[in-house]
Structures are given as C-alpha cells and as structure tokens.
Amino acid sequence: MSLEFNQIHRNEHLPGRIAAEITREITESKLGPGDRLPTEHILAKTFGVSRSVIREAIAQLRNEGYVETRQGVGAFVTDPRQRLSVRIEQSALNDPENFRDLMQLRMSLEIDAAGLAALHHKPEHLEKFDKAIYGMRNAIEWSKDGVEADLDFHRAMAEATGNEYFLIFLGFIAQRISLAINTAFSRAVYGEILEVTINEHVVLRDAIASRNVMVARDAMRKHIMGAAKRLNIDLDVF
C-alpha cells in the first residue's frame, strides 16, 4: 500500500489536518473499506508528530465514521454507508458564537440522551461509566488520557440510549467540543476544574444507574451548564 500524505504545517490544528489527510486517502480510494490504517507509530513518524496527536486524529475519524477501532488491533476503514455527512471544521469553533451554538445543541441532545440512558442502560454500560471515571481520576496527562476518558463516558451514555443516532451525533459533537475546551484550558491550571468535572460525571453516573429519568436529565443539565460556566458561556435553559 502506497500512501501520499501532504505536508502538515505547524500553525495548523494538527489532529484535524492529519484526519483530513487520511480522509483524502480514503475518499480517493487509496484506502478502501476493511483496510487497516498504518500504526500510530508509523503515522507519527510519517507526519512528524507525537502519538497523542495521531490518537486525536483517529478519534476524529472514528466519530465521523471513516474508521472503526479494534482494541489491540488497530483502526480500519469503514463502509461508506456508515460515514457521517455533517462537517464542522474545528477552526470554526474558534469563533465564540459558533462554539456557544454547538454547546447549546449538545445540551439539548445530551439531556435527552441521559434520560434515555436511565431507561435503557445495561450493566455493561455502568461498567463503562466506572472505567471512564477511573480513567479521569487517574489520568497522567489530562489533555490526552483525561479527555479520552471523558469522551468514553459520553460515548457509553450515548450507547446506553439504545439509539445509534445518538451515538453518531453525540460522538461527533462531543469530540469537537472536547478539543476546543482542552485548547481553552491548555494554558490554565486545571486543579479544581478537573475535580469538579469528575464529580459531575460521578453524579451523572449514579443518576443514570438509578433509572430515574428526571434525575438523570437534571444531572446532565447541571453538568453541561457547569462546563459552560467554566468557559464563561451563557446557554439558554428551558
């Protein structure tokens, strides 16, 4: 397999640009359904970036439906029918109004998802919540391990709804918001912010486990409003 990636410039958002390069290889049929992507090590060497940057790029491709990942095996190109046609450029979220609008959409979707998860979750979803919370609490590097554990929590909740479209759309939206939030806090001291964030996830996990729809919805509303407040964003609440 011969792949030809374009040069990545350092002033660009690296994970997004790398994801775009791999997407181009897929859309030009240089990588077809079922093909395995090069390993993280090879991609990191090819693009001259860290493996954590490659992980973010692959997470973006996964949320857009271009690849699926298999634990301990790698990432594989999916069938075109699984791919999400919606596009939100990461750079667009540098505009505060765009970011606020996406947070507003996320709040509506996640509140409903939390309620459905309270109704339909199974024991394996609670196990995923607990694993994600453990990952957040024990993250060595929040910008890599902590953010991924946070995303895992929200993916598990979307799965627990029993509605695959929640998984597709929430995964897509949450990944972009998490990248933007991580960038916003990259120059700040996390400290208390992280402790509050983790505690909100614990409350949300317990609310979903209780199978009380209204309690779960309220816990999610408070979590999203808390995240918005920490970013100095005012959301409309109904």
Side-chain angles (χ1 to χ4, degrees):
M1 183 189 305
S2 178
L3 304 178
E4 299 178 0
F5 296 118
N6 292 326
Q7 183 178 3
I8 299 297
H9 300 288
R10 289 288 169 177
N11 61 343
E12 298 174 308
H13 180 260
L14 293 178
R17 288 296 301 128
I18 291 168
E21 282 297 305
I22 296 173
T23 297
R24 181 178 57 80
E25 295 291 310
I26 293 172
T27 57
E28 292 179 0
S29 299
K30 294 178 182 177
L31 285 167
D35 286 346
R36 179 184 174 184
L37 296 190
T39 65
E40 285 183 4
H41 175 74
I42 291 174
L43 287 173
K45 186 174 181 181
T46 299
F47 287 109
V49 299
S50 68
R51 293 178 69 171
S52 63
V53 171
I54 297 299
R55 290 190 196 102
E56 284 190 37
I58 291 175
Q60 178 174 328
L61 291 168
R62 182 179 63 237
N63 287 325
E64 291 179 356
Y66 280 99
V67 303
E68 61 178 1
T69 54
R70 302 172 193 169
Q71 185 68 33
V73 180
F76 296 81
V77 179
T78 60
D79 185 287
R81 290 170 293 183
Q82 299 179 35
R83 296 172 193 163
L84 190 64
S85 61
V86 176
R87 292 287 179 271
I88 299 175
E89 293 295 332
Q90 196 69 39
S91 59
L93 298 184
N94 293 331
D95 183 324
E97 285 300 313
N98 289 341
F99 186 76
R100 179 196 176 279
D101 288 347
L102 193 59
M103 282 285 286
Q104 187 77 57
L105 174 61
R106 180 193 181 188
M107 181 169 69
S108 298
L109 289 173
E110 293 231 64
I111 288 173
D112 281 347
L116 287 170
L119 281 177
H120 301 300
H121 72 268
K122 298 176 181 177
E124 56 262 35
H125 297 123
L126 297 182
E127 291 175 5
K128 288 183 179 181
F129 291 152
D130 292 340
K131 182 178 179 181
I133 291 169
Y134 179 86
M136 283 186 270
R137 281 178 168 157
N138 294 277
I140 297 173
E141 183 181 346
W142 180 265
S143 62
K144 179 178 66 176
D145 307 315
V147 169
E148 186 58 38
D150 190 334
L151 287 171
D152 285 344
F153 184 99
H154 289 271
R155 288 190 200 102
M157 185 192 67
E159 288 177 7
T161 66
N163 184 326
E164 66 175 318
Y165 294 109
F166 273 101
L167 181 59
I168 292 171
F169 282 95
L170 283 179
F172 178 72
I173 292 171
Q175 193 263 351
R176 274 154 182 72
I177 286 178
S178 291
L179 286 176
I181 290 175
N182 188 53
T183 299
F185 286 149
S186 62
R187 294 179 298 277
V189 176
Y190 285 98
E192 184 178 338
I193 291 175
L194 297 186
E195 183 178 351
V196 171
T197 298
I198 293 168
N199 286 339
E200 286 173 355
H201 283 86
V202 172
V203 171
L204 181 54
R205 180 263 184 220
D206 291 345
I208 292 172
S210 74
R211 295 198 181 275
N212 187 315
V213 172
M214 297 310 297
V215 170
R217 287 173 61 88
D218 187 58
M220 177 56 78
R221 182 181 289 104
K222 289 177 179 177
H223 172 49
I224 299 297
M225 292 299 296
K229 183 178 180 180
R230 291 188 284 274
L231 292 165
N232 296 314
I233 294 173
D234 292 322
L235 298 179
D236 296 324
V237 184
F238 302 98

